[in-house]
Amino acid sequence: QVQLVESGGGLVQPGGSLRLSCAVSGSIFMFDTMGWYRQAPGKQRDLVAVITKSGTTIYTDSVKGRFTIFRDGAKNTVYLQMNSLKPEDTAVYFCKAVLRGLHTWGQGTQVTVSS
């Protein structure tokens, strides 16, 4: 069974940067898509960014130009580089992998943007 392990969250001031990592117990290239989602307290879990098997990337409008999703096949890891962070980016960030309709989630990592 595939496992996803997120890391890299923490507390950062507005305008700061963080890089989240999602380590996969297998090749990242076997998945149809891999993505990052976030869930703020009392809100639903929403898409942040997705990367497809072919390398196409998709971002939600609120993070375009600030966040970048990318992958390292040698490390079987997908990353989310987050720059110019805002307080409204505060949430638990989850990694998800999709293979033939099967969705696998990581445990999440907390990101808090506050002065």
Side-chain angles (χ1 to χ4, degrees):
Q1 183 173 347
V2 173
Q3 290 186 323
L4 309 179
V5 179
E6 301 102 329
S7 61
L11 173 64
V12 63
Q13 292 186 342
S17 297
L18 282 175
R19 178 178 292 183
L20 306 183
S21 300
C22 174
V24 181
S25 60
S27 172
I28 59 173
F29 296 110
M30 68 176 171
F31 298 106
D32 300 316
T33 64
M34 291 197 68
W36 287 95
Y37 293 71
R38 64 186 179 187
Q39 187 167 19
K43 295 189 176 181
Q44 67 181 21
R45 192 173 298 185
D46 291 325
L47 170 71
V48 177
V50 167
I51 185 165
T52 69
K53 183 179 290 187
S54 64
T56 300
T57 56
I58 302 169
Y59 299 91
T60 191
D61 285 346
S62 63
V63 308
K64 287 180 180 177
R66 299 190 298 124
F67 291 11
T68 303
I69 186 170
F70 62 101
R71 60 193 178 186
D72 184 336
K75 296 182 178 180
N76 288 323
T77 301
V78 175
Y79 301 93
L80 185 68
Q81 177 67 42
M82 306 186 295
N83 299 327
S84 302
L85 282 161
K86 304 175 181 180
E88 51 264 43
D89 294 318
T90 295
V92 178
Y93 284 69
F94 297 88
C95 179
K96 186 178 81 168
V98 180
L99 176 61
R100 300 191 205 100
L102 179 63
H103 297 213
T104 302
W105 291 92
Q107 82 287 352
T109 185
Q110 176 71 46
V111 172
T112 302
V113 185
S114 175
S115 56

